[in-house]
Amino acid sequence: MSANPLYLTEPGPQSRTAAQGASRPALNPYDPRYDPLVSPGPGHGRAYAPTYWVATAGDTPPDDGPIASDTDADVVVIGSGFTGLATALFLAREHGIKATVLEANQVAWGCTSRNGGQGQNASGRLYRSQWIERWGLDTARRLDAEIRSGFETFSELVSQIDCDAQGGGHLYTAHRPKKLAFLRNEARVMREVFGYDTRMLTQAELRERYCDDRDACGALLEPDGIGVHPLKLAYGYLRKARELGARVHTSSPVIGWETRQGVHHLRTPGGTVRARAVAIATGAYTAPGLTPLLRGRCFPVLSNSIVTRPLTDAEIEATGFRSTTFITDTRTLRFYYRLLPDRRMQIGSRSAITGADAEADKHYRLLIDGLGRKFPALRGIDVEYSWWGWVDVSHDMMPRIVQPDPAQSVFYALGYGGNGVSFSAHAGRRMAQRVAGKPDDAFQLPIYDSPLPGHWATPFRRIGQAMLYRWYHLRDEVL
């Protein structure tokens, strides 16, 4: 088995671009210890994290380089991940507004180039049965229609972009027999209340049709789900947005923000951008102090991920893989995993709490051990990529796409809780609609009609998180 291969990756797009002599500034080193709660900001012109996605996405498409002087813009979008690029794309495509996107580092540098690429028909951390408990049946049905529309927005974009799309839905596996009752209830609610063709699979059916996951006692099959290469998809968003007139400025962090007479003055190292409206799409990489509107509103949580070398024919046979449908298990700190198009295994989970601790070998070992427990034939397999990134979790486990203060022309889309690969496309579409001043009945739904909530225990969240992680492990593995 290889050691933790944090720095043992193929040259990513940024190194190839530099080798080609492109006229862009030299990159600052990737910071593996970055922590949004204690670092002053996500950086300035930093290299990508050493992810599998970066190493295999191909050449980075052209962008507009750093802001080089004071300039005016109709709308500024802060952040160039899925949400920010989708916002710029839909502003141009559906409202004729050519946005200026400001990115502190590289295009899709944060969540978008570090996630698992699992595009589910979902958003936030709550299940549909929990929507009913929280808001009642009528609101839950209307929210489902909106999330379903979001999956259609995502599917449409995926169909237009070469991003190694893998259809087949989503498998939700029970890691212990006692979790089967939960999955059966969720399958029933999705089928009987919302009309989905959900099915429960026995352990034997799972192994016969999908994979021989030795950690699974059965599974819920959701029909909607597309696995993607997230950075290839983001590059597609970038190309489409720029073709429609959007400008995307990398190495341009917002280091100061003043609003005077209704005009936002966003200061970057290369100049100030003046804009009538600002849309924030920074996810868990929101700089402290960017705006009081977001102070304490999101809880950044780390997610670690690894990708193995390609599996041999014998290993494919031994693991029983007959499908590339992506998988999540029922642990609270869940594993998410799948067989990639080039026959590598990818698996991720949550373990580390602080950026300072993210490099600790125990978090890497958690994934190695999890992979071996699920697929014993892969014990000892070489791992070629290892990375981590921050997830934006809201305090009530659901995202918001809002204008938090009607008196300010500031908007944000945040708080996906790890379920943003798919819904971020529609969130960008809806945020563009709000920026353009176009009303919609959907804006009465809970994810649109109120800001992200704060929480009284925000100053103590890391202490609480450490205690919760211990409790989750005990509940998931012992009790």
Side-chain angles (χ1 to χ4, degrees):
M1 182 185 299
S2 64
N4 189 334
L6 174 60
Y7 300 105
L8 304 181
T9 60
E10 300 173 11
Q14 72 275 19
S15 57
R16 281 194 297 270
T17 301
Q20 293 166 354
S23 57
R24 61 176 63 198
L27 298 177
N28 293 313
Y30 160 66
D31 178 10
R33 297 167 66 87
Y34 166 76
D35 187 324
L37 291 190
V38 298
S39 301
H44 175 199
R46 289 196 179 276
Y48 286 110
T51 73
Y52 166 79
W53 314 121
V54 169
T56 59
D59 291 337
T60 308
D63 57 54
D64 295 285
I67 291 289
S69 63
D70 291 356
T71 186
D72 294 314
D74 195 16
V75 175
V76 162
V77 178
I78 305 177
S80 71
F82 283 145
T83 303
L85 293 173
T87 301
L89 192 164
F90 285 112
L91 277 169
R93 193 170 90 174
E94 298 186 343
H95 307 288
I97 299 172
K98 297 177 181 179
T100 294
V101 180
L102 300 180
E103 164 61 49
N105 297 297
Q106 313 307 305
V107 169
W109 177 86
C111 309
T112 296
S113 60
R114 309 188 197 205
N115 62 70
Q118 296 190 356
Q120 299 183 34
N121 179 16
S123 187
R125 297 286 295 172
L126 299 184
Y127 306 104
R128 281 166 173 78
S129 61
Q130 293 173 307
W131 296 354
I132 296 172
E133 293 173 7
R134 180 172 291 188
W135 296 299
L137 183 57
D138 179 64
T139 296
R141 282 179 168 152
R142 290 189 296 115
L143 182 58
D144 174 71
E146 177 68 3
I147 301 299
R148 197 180 301 212
S149 294
F151 188 76
E152 292 170 358
T153 298
F154 170 71
S155 301
E156 175 201 358
L157 289 172
V158 167
S159 70
Q160 300 167 5
I161 296 169
D162 181 7
C163 59
D164 301 341
Q166 297 172 296
H170 170 229
L171 282 168
Y172 199 12
T173 60
H175 78 285
R176 297 178 72 183
K178 71 176 186 176
K179 289 292 185 178
L180 287 169
F182 158 71
L183 290 182
R184 290 190 188 103
N185 181 67
E186 206 60 35
R188 179 190 62 79
V189 169
M190 292 185 70
R191 185 174 57 252
E192 296 178 5
V193 177
F194 300 105
Y196 290 101
D197 184 22
T198 51
R199 287 181 288 148
M200 286 297 298
L201 303 176
T202 65
Q203 185 182 65
E205 289 172 328
L206 176 66
R207 292 177 176 176
E208 178 183 350
R209 302 176 192 176
Y210 293 93
C211 64
D212 188 7
D213 182 347
R214 300 293 178 85
D215 199 36
C217 305
L220 162 61
L221 175 62
E222 297 177 347
D224 298 316
I226 305 173
V228 297
H229 188 302
L231 194 52
K232 287 185 179 181
L233 182 60
Y235 285 172
Y237 289 5
L238 171 65
R239 291 186 183 98
K240 287 180 175 293
R242 291 187 75 243
E243 286 168 2
L244 292 168
R247 297 182 66 83
V248 179
H249 292 280
T250 51
S251 297
S252 300
V254 175
I255 57 176
W257 182 345
E258 293 181 87
T259 303
R260 300 195 293 268
Q261 296 180 330
V263 177
H264 303 285
H265 296 249
L266 304 172
R267 185 163 53 89
T268 77
T272 296
V273 183
R274 297 173 291 266
R276 70 168 184 85
V278 176
I280 302 170
T282 45
Y285 293 82
T286 306
L290 177 66
T291 170
L293 296 171
L294 284 173
R295 188 173 296 129
R297 299 289 174 169
C298 262
F299 187 10
V301 173
L302 271 172
S303 183
N304 294 60
S305 193
I306 59 173
V307 172
T308 71
R309 63 155 171 78
L311 274 57
T312 65
D313 289 343
E315 287 166 339
I316 293 289
E317 181 65 25
T319 53
F321 271 100
R322 296 171 178 81
S323 169
T324 55
T325 297
F326 61 77
I327 310 168
T328 310
D329 72 18
T330 49
R331 289 174 171 84
T332 308
L333 302 180
R334 59 195 181 191
F335 286 102
Y336 52 91
Y337 44 111
R338 62 176 170 133
L339 184 66
L340 297 170
D342 61 1
R343 295 162 55 114
R344 299 173 189 268
M345 277 297 299
Q346 183 270 338
I347 184 169
S349 187
R350 297 176 185 177
S351 176
I353 292 177
T354 68
D357 185 50
E359 295 175 282
D361 189 63
K362 62 183 178 181
H363 309 304
Y364 175 74
R365 296 300 318 174
L366 175 80
L367 299 179
I368 292 292
D369 294 345
L371 182 63
R373 182 168 58 249
K374 292 176 181 299
F375 304 104
L378 301 184
R379 288 196 179 109
I381 191 172
D382 287 340
V383 171
E384 295 187 352
Y385 303 90
S386 174
W387 71 90
W388 46 86
W390 294 92
V391 178
D392 54 327
V393 180
S394 68
H395 292 297
D396 69 352
M397 302 300 169
M398 290 297 285
R400 295 296 192 283
I401 303 90
V402 297
Q403 180 182 8
D405 181 353
Q408 301 184 55
S409 54
V410 178
F411 308 79
Y412 61 70
L414 296 164
Y416 304 115
N419 260 334
V421 171
S422 167
F423 192 68
S424 56
H426 198 64
R429 189 177 211 164
R430 288 303 199 189
M431 186 152 68
Q433 187 177 349
R434 303 200 87 149
V435 170
K438 304 294 178 62
D440 197 289
D441 289 344
F443 295 157
Q444 299 173 22
L445 289 168
I447 60 174
Y448 299 116
D449 73 351
S450 63
L452 285 165
H455 195 280
W456 66 268
T458 294
F460 314 103
R461 51 190 156 187
R462 285 278 167 83
I463 298 172
Q465 184 184 6
M467 296 172 62
L468 280 173
Y469 274 21
R470 292 188 181 93
W471 163 241
Y472 292 156
H473 176 78
L474 182 66
R475 184 176 64 183
D476 286 341
E477 310 296 346
V478 179
L479 299 180

